[in-house]
Amino acid sequence: MATLNISELEQVEKFHHLQLTLRDRWKTSELFDNSEADILIIPSLSLDQRELQKIEGCEHYEERLLFSLIRLRNPKTRLIYVTSVPLHPSIIDYYLQLLPGIPFSHARNRLLLLSTYDSSLKPLSQKILERPRLLERIQQSLRLDKSFMICYNSSHWEGELSLKLGVPLYAAAPDLQIWGTKSGSRQIFKESGVPHPDGSEKVWNHTDMAEATVDLWERQPTLKRVVVKLNEGISGEGNALLDLRPIENLAPNIGTHAERIAAISDRLSTMRFQAKQETWDSFLGKMPELGAIAEAFVEGEIKRSPSVQGRITPQGEVEILSTHDQILGGPDGQIYLGCSFPADERYRLQLQQLGLKVGKKLAEKGTLERFGVDFIAVDKGNGEWDIQAIEINLRKGGTTHPFMTLKLLTNGRYDLSTGLFYSQQGRPKYYVATDNLQKERYQGLLPNDLMDIIAHHRLQFDSGTETGTVFHLMGCLSQFGKVGLTSIGDSPQQAQDIYNKVVKVLDEETRSENRDFSAFSDYSFPIVWDEL
C-alpha cells in the first residue's frame, strides 16, 4: 500500500485545503453549461468487506455510479471512470446512447475507462493505491486545476487517494464518517431534535449488549422487540431482531434486574438475523471491531419506511434533493430492496423538514455532499403519521442513482413546495427503482442478450416522452440472475406499469429455459399512492 511521508496532522490539513478548491468547481457537476471539468469517478465500496459480501453480486456494484456518464451531455466535461475489472463495452455504449443531442463519438472521446484488473476482495481505492503506474496515468489524464473526485463512500483510502493525486474529494472527510454510523446517527438526531427510537450507546461485546438491552427494556417496560445493529452494517444486512415476548414473565416490575440480564444474555444467540449468511458466532465476532447498538423496534399495523436525501454544498448550504418510500424485504422487512419516488404526499413535506434539521447539524460538523436519512412512519389512524429517524447514510445509497438518473436525463428540478420533480418540459415525474430484480431463470443472460431484449421489446428510456426504463447492475445478470432498473413515468401508475412490463418481458424471454425457478424470491413492488 502506498504511504505518505507526512504527519497525520499535515495530511488532514492538506486534505481540507484541497477540499476548499471545490467551491469553484463543484457546480460544473450539476449544471449543463459549457464549463470545463474533469470528473474522476472512483466507485469504490470502501466498507467492511465481510458486511459487503452479504450482498449477492456486490463485486458489480461499482456499476451503480455509471449514471455519472450522463454528465457527458455537457460537451466540455471529461470523465475518468475506474473499476476493479473492465466493464463490458455494451454496458458503456448503453449509457452513452442515453445522451440527448450529443453524438456518441463525441461523448466517447471524453470518457476514459481504466481498470485495476483485480477482482480480489479489497476496496477499489486500495487497489489503485497499490498500483503506482495506474496512479500516474490517472493523474496525467486530469487537468488538475479543473478536476474533482466523486466516490461511493469516503474512507481513509479515498482520503489518501485524493492526496496522492492532488484532486479534491467531493464527499465528507474520512474523519467525519462517524456521523454515518448507527451510533453517530443517533447522536445527530439527539442534537438536532429529530424524533428517533430509544436505544443504547455503542457497545463492543456480548455482556455489554445484554446490559444495554436490559436498560432499554427497563426504560420502556412495554417493549416487545429490540433491533440489534452492527454499527457499520449496510442496507439492513447487519441487523438482528430480538423478541422479548417469550420472556415477558421477567419484564420490568415483574422479574429482577439480574434475572433479565441472564435471560437476555442467553437469548441474544437466538436473535433472527436479517442476512441469511449471518450467525450468532459471526455476529459476535464482528462486535469487538465494528461495535453494535440496541434500539427499540417500532411497532405498528400500518408502517412505512421512507427516506429523505440531501446535500451539503462546499459553501455549507443544505439542500433537500428528494424523498422516497423504501421497499424492504428480509425476514422482518429491514433489508433494502428498492424505492419509489416521491414519498407519500401525506408525510413527504414533513420528511423534508426533518431532513433539513439533520443536514444543518451535519453541516455544523463539517460534512459535505450527499446524505440520506432513513425513517419509520407509523399511521396513527387520525390522518397523522408518527415519524422517527432510524439512521443516516453518508454515502451514495440505494436512492441516489435512481434520482440522479432522472435528474441528469431530464435536466429537471425538484420542487420543495410539493415534493415533486418536474422535467424541463414541466411534467411531474415518478419512478419505481430496485437493485434487486433477481431470479434464477435470468442467470446466463449476457449484457448483449439484455441489449437484444431491450431493443426488441422497446424497453429503453425515450428521451422524447421522458418515460421508460434505465437499467443498471447489468454485470450481475449472468452469474447471479440479478439486475437493477429505474422505471420512469408521468404518473405513479405509469411508472409501476413500465416496471411490471420489464419483469414480464424478462420472464417471458427466459421461460424456455429448463430450470427450477424457485430458488430466488420473486419480489414485486406494490406502491400505495395518493397523488393526483
Side-chain angles (χ1 to χ4, degrees), residues 137-203:
R137 185 174 181 192
I138 293 171
Q139 189 172 51
Q140 289 177 348
S141 69
L142 295 167
R143 296 170 292 181
L144 294 181
D145 61 333
K146 303 179 187 299
S147 301
F148 59 93
M149 180 172 131
I150 292 175
C151 61
Y152 170 75
N153 71 301
S154 173
S155 73
H156 68 94
W157 297 116
E158 286 68 42
E160 186 174 347
L161 187 57
S162 170
L163 289 171
K164 278 286 189 181
L165 294 171
V167 175
L169 176 63
Y170 187 25
D175 59 337
L176 298 176
Q177 292 302 309
I178 182 177
W179 306 120
T181 65
K182 305 298 186 288
S183 59
S185 298
R186 294 184 56 78
Q187 184 174 335
I188 293 291
F189 298 150
K190 182 178 180 180
E191 292 181 12
S192 57
V194 170
H196 57 286
D198 194 3
S200 74
E201 301 292 326
K202 182 168 54 176
V203 299

Side-chain angles (χ1 to χ4, degrees), residues 213-233:
T213 303
V214 169
D215 290 343
L216 171 60
W217 196 9
E218 291 176 349
R219 289 195 302 272
Q220 296 198 24
T222 60
L223 198 61
K224 297 177 181 178
R225 291 181 281 185
V226 172
V227 186
V228 178
K229 302 178 179 180
L230 288 174
N231 198 42
E232 298 179 34

Side-chain angles (χ1 to χ4, degrees), residues 32 65-79 91-111 404-411 460-464 466 469-470:
F32 297 118
L65 295 194
L66 282 172
F67 70 80
S68 301
L69 271 59
I70 306 173
R71 298 182 189 278
L72 291 169
R73 68 183 294 179
N74 179 342
K76 291 191 177 180
T77 290
R78 302 194 308 178
L79 280 181
I91 295 176
I92 301 302
D93 293 349
Y94 172 81
Y95 281 94
L96 294 182
Q97 288 164 357
L98 290 171
L99 305 182
I102 300 293
F104 178 93
S105 59
H106 193 275
R108 188 63 184 85
N109 288 337
R110 291 180 284 114
L111 172 65
M404 288 305 298
T405 297
L406 172 65
K407 180 176 174 61
L408 291 170
L409 282 174
T410 65
N411 196 15
Q460 67 270 31
F461 180 81
D462 186 327
S463 59
E466 297 180 319
T469 294
V470 179

Side-chain angles (χ1 to χ4, degrees), residues 1 9 58 120 160 179 241 300 310 361 372 432 480 493 505 522:
M1 182 186 70
L9 179 60
C58 64
S120 63
E160 186 174 347
W179 306 120
L241 195 63
K361 182 56 63 175
V432 180
F480 299 98
Q493 189 59 55
V505 165
D522 180 0

Side-chain angles (χ1 to χ4, degrees), residues 8 24 27-28 220 250 294 333-334 365 417 436 442 475 522 528:
E8 288 187 4
D24 300 321
K27 284 191 176 181
T28 60
Q220 296 198 24
L250 298 176
Q334 297 189 44
K365 303 290 187 184
S417 66
N436 293 277
Y442 299 166
D522 180 0
V528 180

Side-chain angles (χ1 to χ4, degrees), residues 3 19 28 92 99 161 175 186 238 254 256 268 277 284 315 319 322 347-348 354 369 376 379 433 438 502 526:
T3 57
Q19 281 200 312
T28 60
I92 301 302
L99 305 182
L161 187 57
D175 59 337
R186 294 184 56 78
I254 302 177
T256 67
L268 284 172
Q277 307 95 326
L284 188 61
Q315 286 85 2
E319 301 175 351
S322 63
Y347 49 68
R348 63 174 172 244
L354 294 173
E369 228 276 84
I376 295 292
D379 187 353
Q438 183 177 18
V502 171

Side-chain angles (χ1 to χ4, degrees), residues 306-308 320 322-325 341-355 385 387 414-422 430 492 529-532:
S307 66
V308 64
I320 297 300
S322 63
T323 64
H324 292 84
D325 276 316
F341 170 86
D344 194 304
E345 66 174 343
R346 290 174 290 183
Y347 49 68
R348 63 174 172 244
L349 298 186
Q350 188 178 350
L351 291 177
Q352 291 180 170
Q353 293 302 315
L354 294 173
W385 291 75
I387 299 178
Y414 183 72
D415 185 346
L416 282 172
S417 66
T418 62
L420 295 175
F421 183 91
Y422 294 90
Y430 304 80
W529 299 90
D530 292 291
E531 200 65 62
L532 304 179

